[in-house]
Amino acid sequence: MQPLFGPSSKFADGALVLAAREGQPWAQEALFRRYVPVAFGQAWRLMPHEDPEDLAQEAMVRALTHLHRLEQPQAFAAWLSTIVVRLATTRLRRQRLLHRLGLRGPDPTASLERATAATGDPEAAASLAEVYRQLANFPTEERVALVLQRVEGLELTEIAERMGLSLATVKRRLASGDARLKEQSRG
Amino acid sequence: MAEPRPPAPPLDPHRIDALWQATAPKVSFAERRRRLRRGLALAAALPLIAGLGFWAGRAPSAEGLRAVGDQVASHSEPSRFTLRDGTVVEAGPDTAMTLSRLEEREIGLHLAQGQAHFEVKKRPERRFLVQVDDVTVTVVGTRFWVARRAEEVEVQVEEGVVEVEHQGQRSTLRAGQRWARPRHVTPPAAGPEPELDPAPIETADPDPPAAEPAPGPQNPARADRPQPRSVGKAERKRAEADRLFEAALEARRSGDPQAALQAFRTLVQAHPNHPRVALSSFELGRLEMDVAKDLDAAVIALSRAVRAGQNTSFAEDALARLAQAQAGRGDRRGCQEARKLYAERYPAGSYAASLATVCP
């Protein structure tokens, strides 16, 4: 029998958020179990070679410990997605900086191939690895905006919300990213 | 680029278990730390609070509502004020309230229009009442909100317990529960129609189910509870609005702007209080301009987006679009006003240069 108040409860997100805010562990766990796969999926698509599981876990910790800042409890999913995107942006920036300073550890390309191979289809994995290899050299905001638009399929306004940028800035980042992609495909 | 979305490798249930085992202590630790910090901040602020309390006692001037009959009305912007007893009221846009009772043991507010959130100071010796039409919400200490909309009255409890009384029937709501009933309907003399009966929506109930007696004729207390039909109506309405929003976004994604236009039009007209109405108005304005070529409709939608969507990611675009739409329909003054507002808010904005040439 399913526990009514357990992690597998059928409560709506808003109700779980309200209970989790009150410090109810069952509600925190229910939110975690419901959303960690979602956060993991998005983290993987944003940065497959950079330990998406760790990113998803960090995003969940942040979300569960800052629930009092969520104005609309029923909008937990979109809010969590915003946290994942911003954490990924920070990590990608740090990764680029370390790379530039020569402090980067092992070659990220190898882990990229391992990560994309986990999707199962070798052909898709190869083309995916190629896409992310191209994106690796893009400025962080351009890269994230492109992934959110073309891989996550988000609208411009949603991208702006997730990234914390104005719509005009997002358009500029996407235009610049598109131009860079075209340039790479010509070269 | 890869399209459609590449599947991420699945996260198996054992891994989720392990992740939760590692996460739970962090969440619990952060929670304890936050409470401790709040406690320390409170302790540090005690002398200040005591001083303010002394000052407030000398000059009991609650903002806006000081005596019975006093009214507050928020216009396009939400407003926040504190009552004499420390209760914090946040009134939504276009909300009107009157202080109807102010006694040692009872404070009453009448919500004439709009919606408000209440954070009531816990004082067992006095009751706090909010009256909307013929609905009375009674609390001792809690956080909840009340909305008086064109079609319904709604109460939602965030924390604590409130009692809602309507036509002699009482319902007790706990944290996470909401109650709604339609407005503008007169019940027949024989008794209220089942559709009009209010019913708490049990979105969350912190009490274990065993503590609640089962419904049925053997248990009148429980059987007295209103049936879930009218609540279903409010829920259905909200779900319909959410569906429209998703359908509109999906139509845009799949390249069907006409379908998106229709969905956004319906959403904005039929659900003006939906949380995404600002964004929907902005999207509608763009579609009215670019697809329907109806600049009058675009101006209406974009004006709403500018009003409701301040400090959003699309606010700058909405204002620039509004100036362009006003220029397009030949309203020079409207265009200049929008352009001026844009220049004030975004002096170095992306559209500053292009707007300089419209409606000079």
Side-chain angles (χ1 to χ4, degrees), chain B residues 134-171:
Chain B
D134 54 352
V135 177
T136 307
V137 186
T138 310
V139 297
V140 174
T142 186
R143 285 191 295 185
F144 68 106
W145 66 265
V146 180
R148 182 187 189 270
R149 304 203 180 91
E151 72 287 355
E152 66 176 5
V153 175
E154 187 179 355
V155 181
Q156 185 156 344
V157 182
E158 209 177 302
E159 189 181 298
V161 180
V162 310
E163 185 175 85
V164 181
E165 185 180 341
H166 174 237
Q167 296 180 347
Q169 282 198 323
R170 289 182 180 188
S171 306

Side-chain angles (χ1 to χ4, degrees), chain A:
Chain A
M1 199 172 109
Q2 263 189 0
L4 189 56
F5 298 102
S8 54
S9 76
K10 300 291 178 202
F11 284 131
D13 288 355
L16 287 178
V17 167
L18 289 175
R21 255 186 204 164
E22 300 295 315
Q24 300 280 351
W26 63 266
Q28 293 168 344
E29 187 177 349
L31 279 172
F32 183 88
R33 288 182 184 278
R34 190 177 287 180
Y35 280 106
V36 76
V38 179
F40 173 75
Q42 193 173 30
W44 185 87
R45 287 186 290 274
L46 283 165
M47 39 190 303
H49 55 295
E50 283 292 315
D51 198 352
E53 195 176 283
D54 183 61
L55 177 69
Q57 192 192 10
E58 188 180 344
M60 288 305 302
V61 170
R62 287 208 184 184
L64 292 175
T65 53
H66 292 85
L67 284 174
H68 54 286
R69 292 190 188 165
L70 178 57
E71 286 174 8
Q72 292 172 15
Q74 72 278 14
F76 181 81
W79 185 62
L80 175 65
S81 165
T82 302
I83 295 174
V84 172
V85 168
R86 295 189 190 179
L87 279 175
T89 307
T90 308
R91 287 189 180 198
L92 286 169
R93 277 199 188 113
R94 194 169 56 216
Q95 174 197 322
R96 279 176 66 84
L97 181 68
L98 290 174
H99 202 64
R100 216 176 286 164
L101 295 172
L103 298 172
R104 190 84 189 109
D107 176 15
T109 318
S111 53
L112 177 64
E113 265 151 19
R114 270 201 309 278
T116 51
T119 56
D121 178 357
E123 206 173 311
S127 68
L128 200 59
E130 182 51 35
V131 167
Y132 282 103
R133 199 171 289 114
Q134 284 185 13
L135 288 176
N137 298 319
F138 281 35
T140 305
E141 283 185 352
E142 275 178 29
R143 172 185 173 153
V144 172
L146 280 171
V147 172
L148 290 180
Q149 186 191 41
R150 302 206 181 181
V151 181
E152 295 287 301
L154 297 184
E155 287 290 317
L156 291 179
T157 43
E158 293 172 301
I159 298 171
E161 274 183 7
R162 302 286 197 279
M163 294 183 69
L165 300 174
S166 76
L167 194 54
T169 308
V170 167
K171 284 180 193 166
R172 280 201 299 273
R173 299 287 180 268
L174 285 171
S176 165
D178 280 337
R180 212 182 292 272
L181 275 175
K182 279 185 193 142
E183 201 177 297
Q184 287 202 354
S185 65
R186 274 202 303 270

Side-chain angles (χ1 to χ4, degrees), chain B residues 87-108:
Chain B
T87 294
V88 178
V89 183
E90 288 183 68
D94 302 319
T95 295
M97 264 180 287
T98 309
L99 188 63
S100 55
R101 210 169 300 175
L102 184 61
E103 293 162 12
E104 195 57 38
R105 302 181 68 84
E106 208 166 87
I107 293 181

